Amino acid sequence: MNDLLVDDVNVHYGDLQVLWDVSLEIRDDDDVVALIGPNGAGKSTLLKAISGVHPASSGTIEIFGTDTTELTPSEIVRNGFVQVPEARNLFDDMSVYDNLKMGAYTERGSFDETVQEVYEMFPILEERRDQKAGTLSGGQQQMVAIGRSLMTKPKLLALDEPSGALAPQLADRVFEKVEEISDDITVLLVEQHVDKSLALADRGYLLENGRVEAEGTGDELLESEAVKEGYLSV
Ligand SMILES: Nc1ncnc2c1ncn2[C@@H]1O[C@H](COP(=O)(O)OP(=O)(O)OP(=O)(O)O)[C@@H](O)[C@H]1O
Ligand SMILES: [Mg+2]
């Protein structure tokens, strides 16, 4: 059984079609699958289709063997999939702790346990638990957004450009965390840092103009002409 199966998916915004016959899979032995491509390629749109935020107009999406194509976003979360959107959507005026709480809809008993797990992953969040999220640095806010998504105990986590707009050093920290998370949770990683994400990924997909233009192992894609010519500055 695949963790994720996207089969022949088309997505429109009104009359405008932005994804064309997109197929992608995350196999059960994949830890990280990377989705790369230029601005406007449709990467975030694909995540929105998978999470049910903006459903596909045709095609099939299966998460851990369940057809989720027609399910609502919260039903899809219950099937083990959660995405951290590009805009982190934090509650700026709420504390770090309360933001984490917003991610949880588990029973009170396991909430404390889960928040402890998140603090272990991101010690800075425990240190800053009472600070308003809006006053954190960009990198710290990204940690809150990821931490909040972990509160739902996903089995499959999609991250939409987690290192976006971060200084190189902070971006590296995010990549380290993604690798750590992927020990337990399968990660679908959308990234502009093509070399870093493909180095980390078991497999990857290159999306251009709403179509899958190349796919393969991380190494195969790094060596492919499509990626070398378009995405790696030599
Ligand atoms: N709500 C919307 N309404 C209309 N068009 C949209 C909407 N959201 C995205 N689009 C269009 O769909 C296309 C794909 O956008 P999308 O955000 O999925 O790209 P992306 O690959 O995530 O790009 P980026 O790397 O810049 O985040 C773009 O042409 C964009 O303008
Ligand atoms: Mg995007």
Side-chain angles (χ1 to χ4, degrees), residues 43-44 86 160-161:
K43 305 179 299 296
S44 298
E86 222 169 346
D160 197 349
E161 301 194 23

Side-chain angles (χ1 to χ4, degrees), residues 112-187:
D112 294 328
E113 218 171 276
T114 311
V115 88
Q116 276 313 317
E117 287 167 20
V118 170
Y119 286 158
E120 270 162 42
M121 168 84 57
F122 303 112
I124 186 74
L125 300 188
E126 183 163 27
E127 222 172 272
R128 302 297 175 91
R129 50 171 287 159
D130 298 320
Q131 186 172 333
K132 281 184 180 172
T135 64
L136 297 170
S137 74
Q140 291 166 344
Q141 290 188 20
Q142 187 61 50
M143 306 292 174
V144 178
I146 297 173
R148 185 178 57 183
S149 72
L150 295 177
M151 295 300 296
T152 66
K153 297 217 160 240
K155 293 185 286 179
L156 175 56
L157 175 69
L159 300 170
D160 197 349
E161 301 194 23
S163 75
L166 298 182
Q169 253 189 349
L170 283 177
D172 286 343
R173 296 267 324 271
V174 169
F175 275 97
E176 284 165 20
K177 288 297 175 189
V178 170
E179 189 166 17
E180 205 178 318
I181 289 169
S182 71
D183 289 342
D184 302 321
I185 301 169
T186 309
V187 176

Side-chain angles (χ1 to χ4, degrees), residues 38-45 47-48 86 160-161 190 192:
N39 294 126
K43 305 179 299 296
S44 298
T45 299
L47 295 193
K48 286 180 201 161
E86 222 169 346
D160 197 349
E161 301 194 23
V190 172
Q192 299 269 355

Side-chain angles (χ1 to χ4, degrees), residues 14-209:
D15 289 336
L16 176 71
Q17 180 159 8
V18 296
L19 290 184
W20 306 76
D21 301 324
V22 169
S23 295
L24 168 157
E25 62 174 356
I26 301 181
R27 301 170 190 159
D28 62 358
D29 57 351
D30 289 332
D31 294 328
V32 178
V33 169
L35 178 61
I36 58 169
N39 294 126
K43 305 179 299 296
S44 298
T45 299
L46 181 56
L47 295 193
K48 286 180 201 161
I50 298 168
S51 62
V53 172
H54 186 84
S57 20
S58 67
T60 311
I61 297 169
E62 284 179 15
I63 298 173
F64 301 105
T66 300
D67 186 340
T68 58
T69 322
E70 313 261 303
L71 299 186
T72 64
S74 57
E75 287 168 337
I76 290 170
V77 169
R78 266 179 255 131
N79 275 278
F81 175 87
V82 70
Q83 70 154 336
V84 179
E86 222 169 346
R88 295 163 194 142
N89 298 345
L90 297 182
F91 300 96
D92 283 350
D93 289 330
M94 283 168 45
S95 69
V96 167
Y97 179 82
D98 285 338
N99 268 278
L100 292 178
K101 218 163 148 183
M102 296 302 287
Y105 57 134
T106 47
E107 295 297 304
R108 176 76 202 154
S110 66
F111 170 78
D112 294 328
E113 218 171 276
T114 311
V115 88
Q116 276 313 317
E117 287 167 20
V118 170
Y119 286 158
E120 270 162 42
M121 168 84 57
F122 303 112
I124 186 74
L125 300 188
E126 183 163 27
E127 222 172 272
R128 302 297 175 91
R129 50 171 287 159
D130 298 320
Q131 186 172 333
K132 281 184 180 172
T135 64
L136 297 170
S137 74
Q140 291 166 344
Q141 290 188 20
Q142 187 61 50
M143 306 292 174
V144 178
I146 297 173
R148 185 178 57 183
S149 72
L150 295 177
M151 295 300 296
T152 66
K153 297 217 160 240
K155 293 185 286 179
L156 175 56
L157 175 69
L159 300 170
D160 197 349
E161 301 194 23
S163 75
L166 298 182
Q169 253 189 349
L170 283 177
D172 286 343
R173 296 267 324 271
V174 169
F175 275 97
E176 284 165 20
K177 288 297 175 189
V178 170
E179 189 166 17
E180 205 178 318
I181 289 169
S182 71
D183 289 342
D184 302 321
I185 301 169
T186 309
V187 176
L188 175 57
L189 180 62
V190 172
E191 262 297 337
Q192 299 269 355
H193 287 92
V194 167
D195 44 358
K196 282 187 186 135
S197 47
L198 289 180
L200 184 64
D202 299 294
R203 291 180 316 105
Y205 290 82
L206 170 63
L207 200 63
E208 285 180 344
N209 294 317

